[in-house]
Amino acid sequence: MTGYVGLLLFAFASVFAAESPPPADLFAYDKTAPLNVQEAGRETRGAALVRDLTFTPAGKPVKAYLVSPATGSGPHAAILYVHWLGDPKTTNRTQFLDEAVTLAGRGVVSLLVEGMWAEPGWYKNRIPEEDYAHAIRQVIELRRAMDLLLAQPGIDPTRVALVGHDFGAMYGMMAEALDRRAKTCVFMAPTPHFVDWFLFRQQPKDLESYKAQLATIDPVLFVGKLAPAPVFFQFASRDFYVTAEEAAEFYAAAGPRKQMATYDADHGLHPPEVAADRVAWLVRELGLK
């Protein structure tokens, strides 16, 4: 791989001592509830079939793309992609669409879902006192998204990955720490604590109570629970939103099988070597053709 610092560590767990994450039943849901999948359209792109879907994971419809090989019955590797909050053009399910189409040619089925931050004006219109409840609902939505992905025909449950950027990485790691269905994860530019980002704009009425409540579900409390699944962190050296110290905190909290890459980039992580390294990781860890 190119442009990274850090080493794969397979020996001993980190000595980082974080508090335990909250009880799993905080994020419980009815696994038998229907997902109400609706298909709005489909098209073939090269070797990929792209289906435009909505599904209802937790009371509110969510947009998604399901990308699969146009031919062949499997067994298929599977990837759940969760986008960032950044450029309005890609703050949605389209962010990783080209990558998913390419990987379909290697036998991968991908589900690309929209997070709550895909809604225009989501950040500035948030009510801080609702952030905790919305975080719980978002994690449940991502757990249900994984249910939908793994229910597709021909999926090999031993070759499953999650890829997330920014908030997509943070909520994604929380969901997977609870379910442990992903066999590997790629996290791009997450921050360890929700208050690192949630206080940029509007302020809660009771700041200390707000910070204390969110601290109980901080993503950094969950990342270590992904072990033994190997984790690949991708960070940017010129990231206004994630400091080198915050990146190091995340890396320290992860399990022993991990790698961190730092690129000459900003928070968007746009250089082509970022995608190249990510795909190389997925090809190796999922055993793609």
Side-chain angles (χ1 to χ4, degrees):
M1 290 187 178
T2 60
Y4 68 80
V5 296
L7 299 172
L8 268 174
L9 302 178
F10 290 93
F12 298 102
S14 168
V15 296
F16 179 88
E19 296 180 7
S20 298
D25 58 7
L26 183 65
F27 303 93
Y29 66 95
D30 181 1
K31 295 183 179 181
T32 67
L35 287 168
N36 300 317
V37 180
Q38 303 291 324
E39 184 173 317
R42 60 173 61 192
E43 64 173 306
T44 300
R45 299 189 187 183
L49 175 64
V50 180
R51 285 182 277 179
D52 180 0
L53 305 179
T54 61
F55 69 109
T56 307
K60 182 179 179 180
V62 170
K63 293 181 180 179
Y65 286 124
L66 182 64
V67 182
S68 57
T71 60
S73 58
H76 301 298
I79 302 174
L80 177 63
Y81 282 102
V82 195
H83 64 88
W84 73 327
L85 172 60
D87 184 341
K89 293 180 180 179
T90 55
T91 298
N92 52 54
R93 57 184 171 159
T94 67
Q95 183 185 0
F96 296 103
L97 183 57
D98 289 343
E99 183 170 308
V101 167
T102 297
L103 289 175
R106 297 191 178 204
V108 178
V109 176
S110 298
L111 185 67
L112 303 89
V113 298
E114 295 202 342
M116 56 185 169
W117 52 95
E119 182 177 346
W122 170 81
Y123 186 86
K124 67 179 181 180
N125 293 327
R126 290 171 26 256
I127 298 173
E129 286 73 18
E130 297 177 355
D131 286 336
Y132 180 83
H134 287 170
I136 293 170
R137 188 185 71 186
Q138 182 63 68
V139 170
I140 292 171
E141 289 187 357
L142 293 179
R143 297 179 74 184
R144 298 241 67 196
M146 187 62 83
D147 291 343
L148 175 59
L149 175 60
L150 297 187
Q152 300 309 305
I155 296 296
D156 179 355
T158 69
R159 295 191 297 140
V160 179
L162 182 140
V163 176
H165 187 181
D166 182 270
F167 279 125
M170 294 157 66
Y171 290 109
M173 73 176 63
M174 294 168 69
E176 282 311 306
L178 295 163
D179 290 340
R180 299 167 64 93
R181 290 181 284 184
K183 308 308 178 185
T184 189
C185 297
V186 181
F187 299 130
M188 304 167 60
T191 196
H193 310 281
F194 283 115
V195 295
D196 294 340
W197 291 349
F198 274 167
L199 297 177
F200 283 144
R201 195 177 178 98
Q202 56 271 67
Q203 300 294 303
K205 295 176 181 178
D206 184 338
L207 178 59
E208 293 309 312
S209 294
Y210 173 84
K211 291 167 67 175
Q213 184 183 48
L214 281 183
T216 65
I217 58 168
D218 272 336
V220 73
L221 302 179
F222 291 80
V223 68
K225 301 299 181 181
L226 294 167
V231 175
F232 181 27
F233 292 98
Q234 295 187 295
F235 288 106
S237 62
R238 295 182 282 106
D239 195 331
F240 175 81
Y241 301 102
V242 183
T243 66
E245 292 75 17
E246 288 164 345
E249 180 181 354
F250 243 140
Y251 187 73
R257 303 180 66 196
K258 56 190 173 184
Q259 178 174 304
M260 183 172 72
T262 300
Y263 302 86
D264 182 15
D266 60 18
H267 188 67
L269 285 167
H270 297 300
E273 60 265 29
V274 179
D277 286 357
R278 183 171 59 251
V279 169
W281 174 276
L282 293 169
V283 167
R284 184 181 69 244
E285 295 299 326
L286 297 179
L288 302 183
K289 60 185 179 181

